[in-house]
Amino acid sequence: MSDRTEFLDLTDPDVAKEAIADFNLAGEPDTVPLSEADGRVLAERVDASMDVPGFDRASMDGYAVRSRDTVGAGEADPVTLDVVGAVHAGEEPDTAVEAGTAVEVSTGAVMPPGADAVVKVERTERRGDAVDVRTAATPGENAMPAGDDVAAGERAFGPGTVLTSREVGLLAALGREAVPVRPRPRVAVVSTGEELVAPGEELNPDAGQIYDVNGRAIAAAVRDAGGEPVVAPQVPDDRDALVAALAEYAETCDLVLTSGSTSAGAVDVLGDVVADLGEVHHHGVAIKPGKPTLIGRVDGTPYVGLPGYPVSAQSVFRAFVAPAIRDAAGRPPLETPERAATMGTRLRYDEGRDRLLPVGLVTDGDGNALAYPVDKGSGATTSLAHADGVIEVAAETVLLEAGDAVDVRLFGTEVRPPRLLGVGEDDPTLWRLLDAVDRTRYLSVGSAEGARRLDGGVPDVAVVTGDDPPAGERLGGWTREWGLVVAPDAGVDSLVDLVDGDATLVNRSASGLRDALDDAVGALADERGETRAAITDAIAGYDRVTRGHEGPARRVAGGDADAGLGLRSTAERLDLAFVSLGDQPVHVVASADRVEKRGVRDLAGALERAPETVATLPGVSWNE
């Protein structure tokens, strides 16, 4: 008998949202010092207990006068007044303005008795104990009466006001030392799983260990929503450990969030744990990503179990949990901006669930927004890091065609699509060039895929290797030396040594480097009169691949292989030996209709200046 639990009855997403919205996360108001009030939300109305300013105040440097004494004054016919004193900010006036007199004042000074206006110093000329006034002043000119900013008894702010630096400034002007604010819900953030390691601690990839992404990301999202995250140490997938952790945080927090252990696997026991400690309201939601979401209570405390994959966890939190935290903290509902776009690629989807599809945005040659999927799966953190927003795809939608109109819900008002979207080969020389281009997004998908995507019309540029670059505007390029990065004393001096010896190799996944090695193997097979398959079968590890231009070399450096496919620059950086197998041209090609786009122009300029401004890496030379 299987001990796996299947999701037979998935909850409608709207029902799940309503269940979480019904959690009462709000607590009693807090009183906090004004110095800690930034970002908090007022729990009560705040009335002014004093006039601001508390006195009639000069708004300009100049002379306080009786306006009627300046009638008819002008540049050609000034009025001369006797200067009978001076008042500066923070001083109490010791003289009054009477007929035919003036008092020198500075900005912020108390208006002396008798004065009803200030003439700016620029419109006067001082002559000893007298001043020539060259303009007529009107009553109240360049002066602020007491209470003109805020009058005593006036409503300054209402409950629900989010306190920013502007509001804090006025509260300080009112003399408020502390203010009543809505409490921040305390939210426990508990990551579960034997494989998790806290960032900063030593990682053992061979044991399947990964850094805890959700603990940090969800805590940041809780804080952004107005809550106070309480980040727990990682909890293993052990029933007793989970019971202890949930019971502990349910006692001290307003909401308990976990990530992981909610799926249908045999080790995912959270559903049973929550049922034993409280009650399960919903387990399984008809949405992608986020199907394993668990909603209930633990010892009476609201509880939400987020899926373990980062994309799923963050998507569910943003759509379902963040609104409840914002409401409890008194923050207004997040107004998610939308941007109209057209699909840049064709997308088929037939899973019968609502879907939150992460997409990136790029503008075409006419400035129109194109949306392209960046979903690498729920376990890929870059699915959100490389996205600008999401498209809500209804369950009944099975196909989105390139050119279809879509609405992209941006991740925030601060989202700005990249000025340059590049795809293709990953290359350390390219990274140096991209540093000179503002707001760049680059997707390392390999040369062949980069060329295909450029032909599809989504990216601005593609970076590809080989002698036959794709159609478009070539902006420039370079040549890189490639070959085998080898361990000291590995006994590998050529490709033949891998074929005829017992040294092990780590290869690259789809890339220009992999294409070059495949070509070299084909040439060696022809030279020896053997089949390509015979050569690749003879190389131990030829089908063992890793991603990234440093991936194989790092396996060699770690003692996991004798040789790895890579670049001379990588070998020298990691202090490893290098067997050269040739030089490979790298081309930067722009879409023909994007040549005048700012980001493309910036990259073209960086390439043009590169021979003088970019220090070349070992084994790299600039092409004409």
Side-chain angles (χ1 to χ4, degrees):
M1 178 182 294
S2 171
D3 51 3
R4 297 178 63 91
T5 301
E6 299 295 336
F7 295 113
L8 299 178
D9 298 312
L10 295 177
T11 301
D12 182 273
D14 290 336
V15 174
K17 289 180 182 178
E18 185 177 348
I20 296 175
D22 286 342
F23 287 152
N24 182 17
L25 305 181
E28 295 300 318
D30 295 332
T31 298
V32 299
L34 192 60
S35 60
E36 301 175 9
D38 183 42
R40 301 299 293 268
V41 178
L42 280 180
E44 304 171 6
R45 186 185 74 248
V46 173
D47 295 338
S49 58
M50 58 180 287
D51 288 334
V52 179
F55 53 88
D56 295 341
R57 183 171 65 189
S59 301
M60 293 285 181
D61 292 339
Y63 293 88
V65 300
R66 300 194 318 167
S67 58
R68 58 181 176 273
D69 288 344
T70 66
V71 174
E75 290 291 338
D77 187 21
V79 170
T80 301
L81 302 173
D82 294 329
V83 179
V84 295
V87 184
H88 301 294
E91 297 178 349
E92 185 176 349
D94 58 4
T95 186
V97 174
E98 299 177 346
T101 67
V103 171
E104 182 182 356
V105 293
S106 60
T107 302
V110 178
M111 291 285 288
D116 66 354
V118 173
V119 179
K120 292 191 294 185
V121 68
E122 295 87 349
R123 304 304 302 273
T124 66
E125 182 178 350
R126 184 70 177 264
R127 293 187 296 105
D129 291 335
V131 62
D132 290 340
V133 177
R134 300 183 181 279
T135 185
T138 59
E141 186 173 355
N142 298 322
M144 178 179 285
D148 191 61
D149 196 352
V150 180
E154 186 176 350
R155 182 181 189 266
F157 301 114
T161 300
V162 179
L163 299 179
T164 69
S165 59
R166 302 184 300 276
E167 290 78 17
V168 168
L170 179 53
L171 290 168
L174 293 173
R176 294 296 297 255
E177 180 183 10
V179 287
V181 295
R182 294 282 292 269
R184 287 180 171 144
R186 284 174 53 83
V187 181
V189 180
V190 184
S191 298
T192 69
E194 304 279 358
E195 74 280 12
L196 299 180
V197 175
E201 296 183 3
E202 187 174 352
L203 194 70
N204 182 7
D206 291 338
Q209 291 183 342
I210 58 175
Y211 282 121
D212 176 22
V213 173
N214 289 338
R216 301 305 187 271
I218 298 302
V222 167
R223 193 176 295 110
D224 186 59
E228 178 185 342
V230 180
V231 181
Q234 287 76 30
V235 180
D237 287 317
D238 173 80
R239 186 184 187 88
D240 292 340
L242 289 169
V243 167
L246 265 60
E248 174 187 352
Y249 290 103
E251 185 176 350
T252 59
C253 294
D254 302 301
L255 171 66
V256 176
L257 294 178
T258 61
S259 62
S261 298
T262 61
S263 295
V267 298
D268 298 322
V269 299
L270 264 174
D272 291 339
V273 169
V274 173
D276 290 345
L277 292 176
E279 54 187 330
V280 172
H281 298 161
H282 305 282
H283 193 184
V285 179
I287 194 168
K288 182 180 180 179
K291 177 181 176 181
T293 300
L294 176 61
I295 303 169
R297 289 183 180 271
V298 173
D299 291 337
T301 299
Y303 165 85
V304 177
L306 303 173
Y309 280 145
V311 172
S312 298
Q314 294 178 51
S315 296
V316 170
F317 179 89
R318 183 180 294 108
F320 290 58
V321 184
I325 296 175
R326 294 185 68 88
D327 182 65
R331 289 178 171 268
L334 189 63
E335 296 182 2
T336 305
E338 290 192 355
R339 180 161 182 179
T342 57
M343 286 296 295
T345 60
R346 190 173 191 258
L347 177 70
R348 179 174 292 279
Y349 177 69
D350 56 3
E351 294 192 26
R353 287 183 280 154
D354 289 353
R355 185 178 185 186
L356 301 175
L357 176 69
V359 297
L361 289 171
V362 64
T363 53
D364 63 16
D366 297 322
N368 301 313
L370 296 177
Y372 58 94
V374 293
D375 190 3
K376 296 181 181 179
S378 296
T381 56
T382 52
S383 290
L384 291 182
H386 289 167
D388 297 302
V390 297
I391 295 173
E392 292 189 357
V393 183
E396 59 271 18
T397 301
V398 296
L399 184 66
L400 287 174
E401 292 280 9
D404 282 353
V406 292
D407 290 323
V408 179
R409 294 178 55 190
L410 301 180
F411 287 140
T413 56
E414 76 284 355
V415 170
R416 297 185 300 167
R419 285 191 177 136
L420 177 74
L421 174 64
V423 299
E425 195 76 3
D426 69 331
D427 183 277
T429 296
L430 174 64
W431 306 155
R432 297 186 176 199
L433 290 167
L434 293 181
D435 287 343
V437 183
D438 186 36
R439 277 172 43 205
T440 296
R441 180 178 295 151
Y442 190 82
L443 308 178
S444 299
V445 296
S447 289
E449 179 64 12
R452 187 190 71 79
R453 294 193 187 190
L454 184 71
D455 184 61
V458 173
D460 300 315
V461 298
V463 179
V464 298
T465 60
D467 297 324
D468 188 21
E473 184 75 18
R474 187 179 183 278
L475 303 181
W478 56 95
T479 297
R480 62 186 187 180
E481 189 177 6
W482 71 279
L484 301 176
V485 180
V486 299
D489 303 323
V492 177
D493 297 314
S494 67
L495 184 58
V496 172
D497 290 335
L498 286 178
V499 177
D500 296 337
D502 56 3
T504 57
L505 173 74
V506 175
N507 209 338
R508 276 293 311 275
S509 54
S511 63
L513 281 177
R514 174 61 181 262
D515 295 340
L517 181 60
D518 287 344
D519 290 343
V521 165
L524 180 61
D526 292 342
E527 179 183 325
R528 294 172 57 143
E530 301 180 38
T531 65
R532 181 189 297 258
I535 298 294
T536 58
D537 288 345
I539 299 176
Y542 196 86
D543 293 329
R544 184 186 178 195
V545 300
T546 187
R547 187 177 177 277
H549 70 275
E550 284 192 358
R554 288 188 174 276
R555 295 291 182 90
V556 173
D560 198 29
D562 299 306
L565 178 61
L567 303 173
R568 175 178 287 280
S569 58
T570 302
E572 294 198 14
R573 196 171 82 80
L574 298 179
D575 198 25
L576 295 168
F578 183 72
V579 176
S580 179
L581 295 180
D583 294 318
Q584 185 179 54
V586 181
H587 311 277
V588 182
V589 182
S591 177
D593 69 339
R594 313 277 178 91
V595 176
E596 295 305 316
K597 187 175 175 178
R598 177 173 174 176
V600 176
R601 294 202 313 269
D602 289 347
L603 179 58
L607 279 161
E608 186 176 342
R609 297 187 301 271
E612 292 79 32
T613 62
V614 179
T616 55
L617 294 165
V620 174
S621 60
W622 296 108
N623 295 340
E624 295 295 331

